[in-house]
Amino acid sequence: MSFRPPPCRRVTRSGWICWVLLAGLALLVADLPAAAPSHDKPSAKVDDPGTDLWRFVRRRAPELRSLAEKGAIGPVTTQVKGVDTSVLINDKGQEWRLYRHRMLIPISAIVLGTVAVLLLLLYLAVGRRVPDPRETGKRLLRFVAYERTLHWFMAAIFLFLGVTGLTILYGRPLLIPLVGKESFSAMASASKEGHNLFGPLFLVSLLLFLQRFWRRNLYSRGDLRWLIRLGGLLGGDSPPAGFFNMGEKMLFWLLIAVGLLICASGLVLLFPNFGQGRLLMEGAHLIHTLGAVLLLATIMAHIYMGIATKGAMDGMKGGYVEYSWARHHHREWADEEEKKGRVLSEEEVRRRFGEARKIGVPEREAGT
Amino acid sequence: MIAQLIDGPLWLFSAWFFLVVALWRLLVILFKGRPKSLAKPRNAPGGALATIFRRFLPYPEFRKVSRVRFWAGYAFHVGLLALLFFAAPHVEFLSQRVTGFSWPALPHWAFEVAAELALGGLLFLALFRLMDPVTRFISSTGDHLASWLVFLVMLTGCFALWRSHESLRLLHLFLAELLLIYFPFSSLMHALTFPFSRGFTGAVYHRKGVNI
Ligand code: HEM
């Protein structure tokens, strides 16, 4: 059986209140869109008189551009000073729109969907059968409270950004048929606000994570061997690894590099008031979305590994891991810790968690 | 129907409920009195005010270990205070429904900065409460509930930032009303009791000759 840190204190009356409140909230959210007047009625189709004019202008745009390039006509000027103010119609905008609709949305959905289905199948076929680490009664401290908090802080922000971002990306084709236009409109607006607010927090979490973990993720001897043997997939037993194995190190640096790219491109989109033109914004949007899809797929695999590698989550939940797990997955680190005399007994760990009653300390003394 | 309820009677009920029950709890604490101190006085009466202010900083011994929590705590509390009383929609709401007069609101960029600080700070602290064995041990379910309820109120407030959708505003208002009702029963009462508890501790120890 795997070691689990003791749960929060008993479920009290407030626990029940919490559940009742949550249920009430769910009902309320389901009902709220109906509280506001619905605009979901089919709209009457009225031809826009400007459409033909703009179509004509756009058709002539390349012709006028080439004439201007040849010097046959003067450059387009305007008295309004600002970025792109002399551009009457930006053809690239249409290209970007089509690219978003015809390539980005369907292809990214296929990639993310395929990864999710493959991981699910892998879990059903192999992952859920992975045995718990052998119980030795010995534990090692893997992550201190600050590190665990930082991991879940970053994970919560990342997942929130993922959900809100995907709502914005796939909302029209996927959610409108499910929840209707009125509700989707509210969801999209909330997602946009939430996404914009949590974006900068993701940057902060990335930088804090980098500052804390970069040293442990530097390349060390033996990492290449681990990679060549795909962490034990080829050739049986897990190859020896230090605190982090090469797979985790690759995840770390990918997360930092692509994460920073996503943040930088996000800031270009978030602050359009620094003189960047439309072209740059379209480029930033592409980088932002492609980077996000890449990271989302990678993190799905990471979550699979976190759940399927029995015993790994103990380290990220309570900080301590079973000694046999550490020996199996991070042999060099476990041996080093043992040499330093840092192996603890299960009782000692329980005591540190304040589960005093379980090991027989009277309640008063334990401060309960 | 539900919209009118949230915007009307439920708002009135929760606001009055909060006022009456919180005041009642404060009065009970203040009038409870305290057992007579048998210790020989070593100082003239005083010391309350100094402790109230000294407690805004951690003890020097804990300054290093609690550095991140200190900054996260300040980010959250300062951000929340700024949002609560100086966000433009709140100024409008409070002036129309509570005070009858208005005051200057934060510009939009400052609102966003305050929201980042408050949300980031509280998320970090709420997770730390779960992750640290000591804070987890001394926290009750009610403490966790209070943190996450405040978080949800702030989050839905940000969802409703541009007031583009009535349903989002109502969701935020509804959660704020739940918070007002829960407030007097929870550890959130520290927002009102902290000067008294600090002052009391300061005065008692000062009398005994210790300045803490
Ligand atoms: C919500 C589901 C998640 C689960 C179950 C999970 C699980 C874990 C576990 C068990 C570890 C420790 C592995 C070890 O002991 O070596 C870990 C580490 C890590 N996690 Fe997660 N995680 C989740 C989400 C995320 C997210 C969303 C991100 C990124 C945004 C992330 C980034 C990382 C990184 C970078 C590490 C450390 C790897 C290194 O530094 O080399 N995790 N995770």
Side-chain angles (χ1 to χ4, degrees), chain A residues 142-143 151 158 209 217 244 248 252 299 302-303 313:
Chain A
R142 187 152 172 80
F143 298 110
H151 172 265
F158 181 90
F209 208 81
N217 279 291
F244 286 128
E248 291 173 309
F252 178 85
I299 291 299
H302 168 68
I303 293 175
M313 278 285 275

Side-chain angles (χ1 to χ4, degrees), chain A residues 5-12 14-15 17-18 21-22 25 28-29 31-33 35-36 145-146 148-150 152-153 156-157 160 182 185-186 189-190 192-194 196-198 200-201 316-317 352-355 366-368, chain B residues 1-4 6 68 111-112 115-117 119-121 123-125 127-134 136-142 144-145 149 151-152 155 158-162 164-168 170-171 174-175 178 182:
Chain A
C8 282
R9 279 209 288 176
R10 71 216 124 81
V11 180
T12 55
S14 22
I17 297 176
C18 177
L21 289 184
L22 279 179
L25 188 63
L28 181 86
V29 176
D31 201 38
L32 268 183
Y146 171 68
R148 283 175 274 144
T149 308
L150 207 52
W152 294 119
F153 180 66
I157 295 173
F160 178 81
E182 183 71 32
S185 168
S189 170
K192 180 183 151 288
E193 293 310 332
N196 288 354
L197 262 168
F198 275 75
L201 286 180
M316 256 322 161
K317 282 198 300 192
R352 288 185 179 196
F353 268 94
E355 268 237 311
T368 45
Chain B
M1 222 280 277
I2 207 161
Q4 281 98 320
I6 293 172
V68 186
F111 179 116
E112 301 241 356
E116 303 270 356
L117 290 175
L119 280 167
L123 182 61
F124 190 92
L125 291 172
L127 289 171
F128 192 87
R129 189 193 270 287
L130 280 167
M131 287 298 140
D132 182 59
V134 177
R136 181 156 158 175
F137 184 55
I138 59 174
S139 298
S140 66
T141 314
H144 295 290
L145 182 63
L149 190 55
F151 184 78
L152 274 185
L155 185 67
C158 294
F159 284 166
L161 195 62
W162 287 103
S164 55
H165 289 78
E166 184 61 359
S167 50
L168 295 177
L170 287 173
L171 184 63
F174 174 70
L175 284 167
L178 286 189
Y182 183 56

Side-chain angles (χ1 to χ4, degrees), chain A residues 142-143 151-152 154-159 202 205-206 209 213-214 216-217 243-253 255-256 295 299 302-307 309 311-317 321 325 330:
Chain A
R142 187 152 172 80
F143 298 110
H151 172 265
W152 294 119
M154 182 170 70
I157 295 173
F158 181 90
L159 295 178
F202 182 56
S205 72
L206 263 185
F209 208 81
F213 286 108
W214 70 271
R216 275 176 263 178
N217 279 291
F243 190 92
F244 286 128
N245 59 42
M246 190 59 184
E248 291 173 309
K249 289 179 183 179
M250 281 162 50
L251 164 76
F252 178 85
W253 290 113
L255 176 70
I256 296 296
L295 268 197
I299 291 299
H302 168 68
I303 293 175
Y304 167 81
M305 291 298 290
I307 295 171
T309 315
M313 278 285 275
D314 294 341
M316 256 322 161
K317 282 198 300 192
V321 288
W325 177 89
H330 303 275

Side-chain angles (χ1 to χ4, degrees), chain A residues 96-176:
Chain A
W96 170 81
R97 199 180 73 86
L98 291 179
Y99 180 80
R100 182 175 185 273
H101 281 271
R102 297 196 184 145
M103 306 278 285
L104 199 57
I105 292 182
I107 293 180
S108 64
I110 291 170
V111 169
L112 290 178
T114 312
V115 173
V117 170
L118 284 181
L119 288 173
L120 190 69
L121 291 178
L122 194 62
Y123 182 74
L124 294 176
V126 191
R128 67 186 170 144
R129 300 214 182 94
V130 175
D132 285 328
R134 190 169 47 82
E135 184 64 54
T136 59
K138 293 194 278 182
R139 307 282 182 258
L140 283 176
L141 177 61
R142 187 152 172 80
F143 298 110
V144 295
Y146 171 68
E147 292 166 347
R148 283 175 274 144
T149 308
L150 207 52
H151 172 265
W152 294 119
F153 180 66
M154 182 170 70
I157 295 173
F158 181 90
L159 295 178
F160 178 81
L161 288 170
V163 171
T164 48
L166 294 182
T167 303
I168 299 169
L169 190 63
Y170 303 133
R172 274 165 171 270
L174 224 70
L175 292 175
I176 290 182

